[in-house]
């Protein structure tokens, strides 16, 4: 096939906020009232008009870079550099809001394809220029804030021009995608063929295929469509010392699965220049509904039963008591219920026959396990708002609230302990007034992920305050034997805990692979590899 | 829990044949008649009484080894060394039958646990003694025939004493197994708790957990239970430079999945000393049945439909026309049917309700796609004979027939081409009289595996004859873009094609990991790493 490009251009995100600048909105008055009640009234507006530091890359290097990439694909203006500075974690936003753009790249380069990436990496290795691969810029773990010390400069490798559907095999149901494609662009390209990828993380509207692969992203429909890494059957990676092309079959016993070494490699081993993914027929019918559980434990046990009995729906999520209470609260009903229970969202997608059969089986089982159906309204509300939470974070940051999320995963037998100990660690550092909400966002036969949302007053030094809370929670995660991240990757923020999680031998393996593929160490220095 | 040991001791395999020596049998007279008709009558009995070469490890090293491992766990007698010489490929058997035991180890050592393995690897690294990890000895790709040149000797690390169920988590549905446990021992240990692993490769009766993991084994119930690598949630590996403990959650975004670097590592990076696997409730009901398809293409398309529509049964296999004709033939009916079609075996396992629901849905779909139900008899026949084929191979080897299997996997759109080109390559080298049978043994949404069985007269030099045929077929596999092995691993036999499949950069990565974990290169030298 002729490579196909997506129909529309993606909107650039605001340099100090999440998402489409036109979609920003303040908190509704009722929510603002709640915030004031809980944390007091503090206006903390962002500093406007800050500029990144001057370009530090020497003129002769810039000239060389333009010769390699084409002058029109090397951008050094302040606005472009500001837009490619760090990601979108709360610490990233706090720094950007304070006018701190010190991590800005010296230049943003935009390769047009695999060969351009190869040429750039060769040039950067020769001249010892650090390179940060950049897809959607939605990273929340410091993965876009590479070290520049010891390097002649720092270049942002923006994949925005690499947005093609390169191949489609409707017999095998696979699609080969370039890494710069954002979530909605993938769905538009596949949708034209009646297909879907089915990958809908909260960052969906802005995150890219390359980022999904490089960070082992997981979407809100993972119960039905699987994690992104489970969708990948092949990939091409440009490294400073050569190209890797992997994936000659859906599964193989030809040695270790080297695809799994590039998935989750966060741009530190190479740049993914194409990813071949399994695709599915676009669902003809979708239905999302709410179920009420008397407790988080009862709802979790029901999720476990579905997973272990092979009865998973397409979407399956469960909020704990506190998250349910907050989400269900509309101001007029606060205090009306002492016992909101726990809300589960259950979604089914497929042909009408598939949806009917699976919904009947799942509903029967959930009822037997003690769940109460709440009908489609809570499910519909979830679907409509599911990409909106990061906008709400910006509004809360405007009003003096420190708000951030973190996530982990564990085996079922450790879920309760993990939930309790992370909550305790966050409250111990942020104060008993801190709001700590949690939901189970992804389920497996053997375990699940826990996704925490935290809100507290920003205080004098919100960066230090969050760093302390995050460290305490991360220690609690490792003490419980869980993973430091289920779907947000390592970046720079998780490095110390990641090193403990994989141990000394694991760290040495990563360093050996890094040294072999990137001997000059130019790729995302300081990210992933401890 | 207290570690649990399996109830019975496993039978040692015959040094020149597959399986339990007491289970060997000649061909039935009718089959012998068929063989004579096809290939003529040639008796090729095995040479009896051959002995391995003398122990080449110096006495002081042997003394040192005994000091490290305990003298009673270091065996150097001829019978024990003969039983640990190579695996069970047809070339392995041809050599053993000819009395060639030149690859025998100097000593067989039997560690009792992880710490013993660590101590052995340290000793072997210090003294430059090659170490071959040995589980069930069922390898068919030369993975147990390590190079000894450049080493002070060659030691077989026999895992026969490491056979415990170390931990069982019935909430998370995981079990931690030592690597020496054989298939039936795992099922006995788990069965006592009402559980099953569900891993039933043809080698099931003799192969080990460590081997399943180190070679990415896949069982006959993979449609329902998944490949072995998909069952693994955690592992411990002893390497010459330290211990790796991996698997803190069912899934993680904490960097590359290093578990996937040890799975398929064939003892070249480290010795797996425990593997934590997902387990399932033992099925209350099992049913296996036959379906007839007018052609291999029609049956394959039906398998693809089931896989892509989420309708997979527990067992799903499809023989091509030639394999069906041979398998269905009983001598009285030869020639009775010119058009046997293609036999599919469909198996369902689970609770009675699960089996009934899934069987109804699958049967409806298969009927709609053009399949004809043949009832339970062909399914039952398959179940009863499914571990027996390797015994038949020995009988054929006795009667002058060269018989061997090989397997690969590809995406659905390439299945037909791969089938045709591998058949053509085998016939071009072995002659038009060669029998080439094929079945689809494992299915995925995006593709499937093809498993070939080949029979031809042995001729003057059967080893050279098979080497030429295997090389031609392997070239055809790579030319078709498929993988050199779906579930038999790389060993030494697949090395040249494996190197082409993963490319120069892939080879360099493997060498870098090997150099980091095993700097003295003592682990399975010549295996896996090109």
């Amino acid at each position: 096939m002729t490579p196909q490009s997506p129909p529309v251009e993606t909107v650039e995100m605001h340099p100090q906020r999440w998402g489409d600048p036109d979609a920003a909105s303040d908190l509704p008055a009722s929510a603002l009232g709640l915030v004031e009640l809980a944390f007091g009234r503090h206006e903390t507006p962002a500093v406007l008009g800050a500029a990144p530091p001057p370009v530090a890359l020497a003129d002769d290097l810039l000239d060389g870079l333009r010769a390699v990439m084409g002058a029109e694909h090397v951008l050094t203006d302040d606005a472009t550099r500001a837009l490619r500075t760090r990601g979108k974690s709360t610490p990233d936003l706090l720094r950007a809001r304070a006018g701190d753009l010190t991590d800005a790249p010296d230049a943003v380069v935009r390769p047009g394809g695999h060969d351009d990436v190869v040429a750039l990496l060769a040039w950067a290795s020769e001249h010892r220029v650090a390179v940060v691969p950049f897809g959607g810029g939605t990273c929340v773990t410091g993965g876009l804030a590479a070290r520049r010390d010891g390097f002649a400069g720092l270049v942002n490798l923006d994949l925005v021009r690499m947005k093609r559907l390169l191949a489609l095999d409707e017999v095998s149901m696979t699609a080969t995608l370039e890494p710069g494609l954002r979530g909605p662009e993938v769905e538009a390209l596949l949708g034209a063929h009646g297909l879907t990828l089915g990958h809908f993380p909260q960052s969906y509207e802005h995150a890219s295929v390359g980022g999904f692969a490089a960070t082992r992203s997981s979407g809100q429909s993972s119960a039905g469509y699987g994690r992104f890494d489970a969708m990948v059957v092949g990939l091409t990676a440009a490294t400073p010392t050569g190209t890797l092309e992997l994936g000659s079959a859906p599964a193989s016993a030809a040695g270790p699965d080297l695809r799994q070494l590039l998935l989750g490699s966060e741009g530190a081993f190479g740049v993914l220049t194409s990813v071949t993914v399994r695709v599915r027929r676009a669902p003809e019918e979708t239905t999302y509904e709410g179920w009420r559980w008397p407790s988080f434990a009862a709802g979790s046990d029901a999720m476990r039963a579905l997973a272990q009995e092979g009865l998973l729906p397409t979407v399956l999520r469960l909020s704990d008591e506190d998250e349910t209470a907050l989400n269900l609260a509309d101001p007029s009903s606060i205090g009306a219920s002492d016992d909101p229970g726990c809300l589960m969202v259950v979604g089914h997608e497929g042909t009408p026959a598939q949806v009917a059969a699976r919904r009947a089986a799942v509903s029967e089982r959930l009822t037997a396990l003690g769940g109460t159906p709440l009908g489609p309204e809570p499910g519909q509300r979830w679907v409509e708002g599911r990409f909106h939470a990061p906008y709400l974070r910006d509004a809360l940051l405007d009003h003096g609230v420190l708000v951030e999320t973190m996530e982990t995963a564990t085996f079922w037998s450790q879920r309760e302990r993990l939930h309790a100990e992370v909550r305790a660690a966050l409250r111990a550092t942020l104060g008993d007034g801190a709001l700590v909400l949690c939901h189970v966002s992804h389920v497996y036969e053997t375990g699940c992920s826990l996704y925490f949302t935290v809100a507290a007053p920003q205080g004098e030094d919100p960066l230090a305050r969050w760093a302390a809370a995050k460290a305490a929670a991360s220690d609690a995660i490792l003490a419980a034997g869980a993973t430091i991240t289920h779907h947000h990757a390592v970046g720079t923020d998780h490095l110390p805990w990641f090193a403990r999680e994989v141990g000394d031998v694991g760290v040495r393996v990563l360093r050996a692979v890094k040294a072999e593929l990137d001997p000059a160490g130019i790729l995302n220095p300081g990210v992933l590899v401890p």
Side-chain angles (χ1 to χ4, degrees), chain A residues 5-12 110 160-161 163 182 185:
Chain A
S5 293
V8 287
E9 201 57 35
T10 306
V11 172
E12 290 270 19
R110 298 185 163 167
V160 70
R161 290 173 61 217
K163 287 198 180 201
R182 311 281 174 101
E185 295 169 338

Side-chain angles (χ1 to χ4, degrees), chain A residues 135-462:
Chain A
T138 61
C139 179
V140 291
T141 56
L144 299 171
R147 281 194 300 107
R148 61 155 66 230
D149 53 294
F151 293 91
L154 191 149
V155 163
N156 182 289
L157 192 167
D158 187 349
L159 294 158
V160 70
R161 290 173 61 217
M162 292 174 65
K163 287 198 180 201
R164 290 171 300 177
L165 171 63
L166 295 175
L168 187 62
D169 178 348
E170 291 196 61
V171 174
S172 308
M173 293 291 273
T174 64
T176 302
L177 306 169
E178 280 193 319
L181 283 166
R182 311 281 174 101
E185 295 169 338
V186 173
E187 290 300 327
L189 286 167
L190 294 177
H193 300 270
L195 303 172
T196 182
L197 179 59
H199 188 65
F200 304 104
Q202 193 173 62
S203 59
Y204 163 77
E205 293 173 328
H206 300 277
S208 70
V209 164
F212 294 152
T215 64
R216 295 183 175 268
S217 169
S218 194
Q220 294 166 349
S221 307
S222 66
Y225 292 97
R227 293 165 58 84
F228 192 82
D229 51 20
M231 300 177 182
V232 174
V233 296
L235 55 85
T236 305
T239 83
T241 57
T243 291
L244 263 172
E245 285 183 89
L246 299 169
S248 38
S252 170
D257 189 347
L258 295 179
R259 297 175 296 194
Q260 301 295 329
L261 202 56
L262 274 295
L263 295 170
S265 66
E266 304 185 31
F269 292 167
V271 178
L272 298 172
T273 55
S274 78
V275 180
T276 301
V277 289
R278 171 251 290 159
V279 296
R280 299 244 174 104
R281 293 275 152 226
E284 295 166 36
E285 189 171 310
T286 62
T287 165
Y288 311 98
E289 58 194 25
W291 285 75
R292 184 190 183 283
W293 296 89
S295 68
F296 196 43
S300 296
D301 285 348
M303 294 177 118
R304 179 166 70 86
L306 294 184
Q308 294 179 347
E309 293 166 18
L311 264 183
L312 282 179
T314 311
V315 172
L316 186 63
R317 306 163 64 79
L318 175 74
S319 294
D320 71 359
E321 289 84 351
D322 286 356
E323 185 168 291
T324 301
L326 194 80
N327 281 347
L328 287 182
D330 72 282
S332 61
S333 71
I334 288 179
S337 166
D338 290 337
D339 180 20
C342 287
L343 175 67
M344 177 185 279
V345 173
V346 179
H348 300 281
E349 303 184 0
T351 63
Q354 284 171 334
V355 168
R358 184 50 60 116
R359 183 162 177 258
V362 168
S363 299
E364 184 185 329
R365 193 73 184 102
L366 292 180
T367 301
L369 289 163
T372 307
L374 299 175
E377 197 272 333
Q380 208 48 44
R381 218 159 5 115
W382 170 78
V383 165
E384 285 161 16
R386 64 180 173 155
F387 305 129
H388 192 68
Y391 290 102
L392 191 65
R393 176 177 56 165
D394 288 320
L396 288 163
L397 289 174
D398 289 337
H399 293 291
V401 182
L402 175 64
V403 56
E404 180 58 307
T405 65
M406 57 184 302
E407 41 77 53
T408 175
T410 190
F411 297 101
W412 286 115
S413 59
Q414 303 305 309
R415 184 207 55 74
E416 195 159 348
R417 175 186 169 191
L418 182 63
H419 182 229
E421 294 183 3
V422 172
R423 279 165 56 93
L426 289 166
R427 291 205 165 151
T429 42
L430 291 172
D432 285 341
L435 210 57
V436 180
L437 318 175
C438 182
H439 62 265
V440 175
S441 55
H442 306 270
V443 297
Y444 304 91
E445 284 183 64
T446 57
C448 66
S449 74
L450 293 181
Y451 189 99
F452 295 89
T453 302
V454 187
Q458 285 181 15
E460 287 299 304
D461 185 347

Side-chain angles (χ1 to χ4, degrees), chain A residues 6-56:
Chain A
V8 287
E9 201 57 35
T10 306
V11 172
E12 290 270 19
M13 284 201 280
H14 189 288
Q16 295 172 310
R17 306 176 81 88
W18 177 267
D20 180 353
D22 293 340
S25 61
D26 198 0
L27 294 177
S30 56
L32 197 51
L34 279 176
V35 166
E36 285 186 33
L37 201 65
F39 304 132
R41 174 145 203 156
H42 307 277
E43 299 307 321
T44 45
V47 171
L48 299 178
V55 173

